[in-house]
Amino acid sequence: MKTRTARNRIGHRAAKSSRLSSNGNGRVQAKTQKPAVSSQVRDWLSKPRHNLVGGKWVPAVSHKTFDVFNPAEASVIARVPDSDKEDINRAVTAARRAFESGSWRRLTASERGKLIWRIGDLILEHADELAEIESLDNGKPRAVARVADIPLAADLFHYMAGWATKIEGTTIPISVPYAPGAHFHAFTLREPIGVVGQIIPWNFPLLMAAWKLGPALATGNCIVIKPAEQTPLSALRLGELILEAGIPEGVVNIVTGFGETAGAALAAHPEVDKVAFTGSTEVGKLIVKAAAGNLKKVSLELGGKSPNIVFKDVADLDTAIAGAANAIFFNHGQCCCAGSRLMVERDIFDEVVEGVAEHAKKIKLGPGLSADTQMGPLVSEEQLSRVTNYMHQGKQSGACYVTGGSRAGDRGYFVQPTVVKDVKPTMSIVREEIFGPVVVAEPFTKPEELVARANQTEYGLAAGIWTRDISKAHRIAAELKAGTVWINCYNVFDAALPFGGYKQSGWGREMGHEVLELYTQTKAVVIGL
Ligand code: NAI
Ligand code: MG
């Protein structure tokens, strides 16, 4: 688990930081030109950053702050409040006041929808700036943030804005056998839950904030959100846009801080009615325990170890190979749904594994802000050490590394895109979530055994199937214990499509109309006529 110690270690590295670019062969080279940060973002970063509480930007009560790093250089780019229990108390109080005042939930649904829509518009108006902040803070290529993270975040708000006017109850014909001859009119109302605590991770910082905030706002809740300590910046910029959009004060409160302090205080807070969490399964279990105090509602989006299955009857092998590479290497493998177990029908196993390895070797590593970068660094020194440890364990246990297998360069948090074969189901690299660009490839011969093997994991977030046989695809999709199954594609997301996990990958679904269930409670009203 990340701690201040881990961050301090990163701080020591800052002195040794270098300028990085890549030669496209899983190696990172020193380069003379450091990619330029725009003057707009530089100005924004140079100003003190505070928490958003009750519509005001305020420092932590303790006035403590912590460093925010650019993982490509291990350099400090900002400092943000190191918030604690008291900051969470104040933010929850502000959210409670806003909720009880009705300033948000009693707006007409149409007015609420328009304000949420405006957030989406403002994100698009500031897309370049947000992509740059995201890239600097998280390490992902700016171009990827610009075409994926930022427009998806805007689209989520636009999609949820439409739902504000469509949260409907039902009328129910009731019979009441013990009251013969009596007449009733019965109906349901769907009401907001109240004050919602949201704890989000660092892999898609702005997008995860959007996934959480959009539905909570559409349904009339008030919110305290804690971004990940590794990547708090885009959420703080979003907070400014939320105020600019005209969301009333106290409806969205943003508190930066570490998980063990600010996050734990939010999950346990007796005045928080619901907690929504995305992150590790380990911390998800802690959230459940913390929520027991006041039995707050809980939704969880957790880890994964998703199988991506390639049959020999695939329509176009090159497309499947490119798809398998994208399934694992997108976002540097830092995706909960990464296709990290590549299962390939024996006859084409070598060809597919070689093909994915060829893709891996061509990926250009470098800082996110460089125009030709295809894969940036991992987010933190902690993740670098976690991922390289797994690589080491795989080697120790006798797996064969087709390509990659180590850190790339000796500065920044870069690792080589890695393809591993000759693995056994007991190996940690096969069972556990690595959360880096590391795929384990296994051949299969009998389709009947395939499903059992694909499901042989404590997770159940996603799966991929590549085949031209449509009935086989349907049959297997139905058998896979996964919240999302992609057939002849991978990593396809949409605000309208529910996303979430079976088994230990989580509770509940985000996005789509299903997420509205997580942010509303049903009231049955009965009128005697
Ligand atoms: P994490 O689960 O510790 O962090 C996610 C969020 O939870 C952060 O905002 C963090 O501050 C908060 N948090 C941490 N401890 C908490 C606590 N006791 N109470 C309340 N909130 C707490 O994940 P971490 O350490 O950053 O990454 C570890 C592993 O977790 C990764 O290697 C990956 O396997 C998995 N992970 C999965 C994600 C997903 O999208 N499902 C996202 C990030 C990490
Ligand atoms: Mg952690």
Side-chain angles (χ1 to χ4, degrees):
M1 215 170 277
K2 88 233 84 326
T3 59
R4 281 170 196 76
T5 329
R7 302 310 264 159
N8 290 342
R9 283 205 309 275
I10 299 169
H12 291 147
R13 299 222 159 193
K16 297 198 282 173
S17 73
S18 79
R19 293 149 188 192
L20 298 164
S21 171
S22 88
N23 66 354
N25 199 16
R27 290 194 293 272
V28 189
Q29 284 185 328
K31 205 184 181 187
T32 45
Q33 273 303 320
K34 186 172 170 172
V37 178
S38 69
S39 56
Q40 188 185 18
V41 168
R42 209 176 320 115
D43 277 1
W44 188 79
L45 290 173
S46 69
K47 302 203 176 88
R49 303 264 63 102
H50 295 318
N51 290 328
L52 178 59
V53 178
K56 310 265 176 320
W57 293 101
V58 293
V61 175
S62 67
H63 286 268
K64 284 197 272 181
T65 58
F66 65 89
D67 290 334
V68 180
F69 291 85
N70 167 0
E73 301 183 3
S75 56
V76 177
I77 47 174
R79 290 184 68 80
V80 298
D82 183 356
S83 309
D84 216 325
K85 200 171 175 179
E86 187 47 31
D87 302 289
I88 293 292
N89 282 341
R90 292 183 185 195
V92 171
T93 301
R96 173 61 63 195
R97 197 178 302 128
F99 185 75
E100 300 304 340
S101 78
S103 63
W104 185 240
R105 70 192 157 98
R106 292 212 188 100
L107 282 184
T108 67
S110 167
E111 285 167 325
R112 259 206 326 272
K114 281 181 199 152
L115 293 176
I116 298 168
W117 185 275
R118 182 78 187 120
I119 301 173
D121 282 353
L122 285 169
I123 289 174
L124 291 180
E125 284 168 31
H126 295 272
D128 290 334
E129 179 196 347
L130 286 165
E132 191 175 343
I133 291 172
E134 205 74 318
S135 172
L136 268 173
D137 198 4
N138 164 281
K140 66 178 68 199
R142 171 170 41 190
V144 173
R146 183 64 185 79
V147 298
D149 301 55
I150 311 301
L152 280 169
D155 196 50
L156 196 290
F157 282 107
H158 286 150
Y159 172 84
M160 290 298 165
W163 272 116
T165 47
K166 297 161 196 74
I167 315 285
E168 298 168 343
T170 49
T171 55
I172 302 172
I174 57 172
S175 306
V176 199
Y178 56 82
H183 294 282
F184 300 96
H185 174 53
F187 61 95
T188 56
L189 295 171
R190 287 177 68 199
E191 298 184 340
I193 291 181
V195 173
V196 175
Q198 303 184 322
I199 300 171
I200 57 169
W202 42 260
N203 50 345
F204 296 90
L206 184 76
L207 186 57
M208 291 302 102
W211 281 24
K212 293 276 185 284
L213 292 171
L217 287 171
T219 44
N221 295 279
C222 294
I223 301 141
V224 177
I225 188 167
K226 190 200 83 65
E229 53 270 43
Q230 296 86 351
T231 56
L233 297 179
S234 57
L236 295 178
R237 185 70 187 100
L238 177 64
E240 295 174 345
L241 299 178
I242 284 172
L243 293 183
E244 192 179 332
I247 304 290
E249 65 182 38
V251 173
V252 176
N253 303 274
I254 305 174
V255 179
T256 60
F258 291 86
E260 297 85 342
T261 49
L266 187 55
H269 203 290
E271 278 294 310
V272 170
D273 302 306
K274 176 205 159 61
V275 62
F277 171 77
T278 297
S280 60
T281 295
E282 176 198 2
V283 173
K285 292 177 185 178
L286 295 178
I287 302 281
V288 170
K289 287 196 188 123
N294 68 336
L295 287 179
K296 57 174 68 68
K297 318 285 185 269
V298 180
S299 54
L300 304 169
E301 203 261 274
L302 307 174
K305 191 75 185 174
S306 300
N308 187 23
I309 303 163
V310 186
F311 287 97
K312 65 182 177 195
D313 64 6
V314 67
D316 175 32
L317 197 55
D318 289 342
T319 306
I321 288 169
N326 160 62
I328 183 62
F329 298 133
F330 175 63
N331 212 42
H332 326 169
Q334 301 171 135
C335 292
C336 46
C337 56
S340 52
R341 286 189 298 147
L342 178 59
M343 307 181 74
V344 187
E345 198 155 8
R346 170 86 62 193
D347 299 7
I348 56 163
F349 181 76
D350 290 339
E351 197 177 344
V352 170
V353 170
E354 275 311 314
V356 174
E358 282 312 305
H359 276 271
K361 287 177 199 162
K362 287 190 194 126
I363 291 173
K364 293 195 171 184
L365 300 182
L369 290 193
S370 287
D372 60 349
T373 290
Q374 293 170 324
M375 186 184 284
L378 299 181
V379 75
S380 64
E381 189 185 25
E382 185 191 18
Q383 285 306 117
L384 173 68
S385 119
R386 193 188 300 263
V387 171
T388 49
N389 266 336
Y390 275 116
M391 289 168 162
H392 181 68
Q393 284 172 30
K395 287 175 195 164
Q396 295 285 88
S397 56
C400 166
Y401 282 65
V402 185
T403 186
S406 14
R407 184 179 183 179
D410 55 3
R411 297 196 181 91
Y413 313 133
F414 295 86
V415 292
Q416 297 170 335
T418 298
V419 179
V420 190
K421 64 176 184 178
D422 298 346
V423 293
K424 297 197 181 72
T426 50
M427 291 178 180
S428 62
I429 54 168
V430 177
R431 285 185 294 110
E432 293 171 25
E433 180 174 55
I434 299 177
F435 228 62
V438 182
V439 65
V440 295
E442 308 166 54
F444 67 87
T445 36
K446 295 190 187 134
E448 338 49 282
E449 289 169 10
L450 168 73
V451 170
R453 265 175 63 198
N455 286 333
Q456 199 179 4
T457 162
E458 68 196 26
Y459 296 112
L461 200 54
I465 303 171
W466 299 81
T467 178
R468 170 169 71 197
D469 179 339
I470 192 151
S471 51
K472 181 165 70 186
H474 277 292
R475 274 199 317 272
I476 291 178
E479 291 298 316
L480 290 170
K481 296 195 171 88
T484 299
V485 179
W486 286 295
I487 299 172
N488 295 328
C489 59
Y490 208 94
N491 282 335
V492 177
F493 295 96
D494 192 273
L497 200 61
F499 182 81
Y502 280 42
K503 299 194 275 185
Q504 292 193 38
S505 288
W507 290 352
R509 294 292 177 271
E510 303 207 88
M511 301 195 290
H513 56 78
E514 278 208 51
V515 71
L516 304 171
E517 304 291 332
L518 301 180
Y519 288 96
T520 51
Q521 47 197 347
T522 301
K523 180 179 283 171
V525 183
V526 182
I527 306 171
L529 300 175

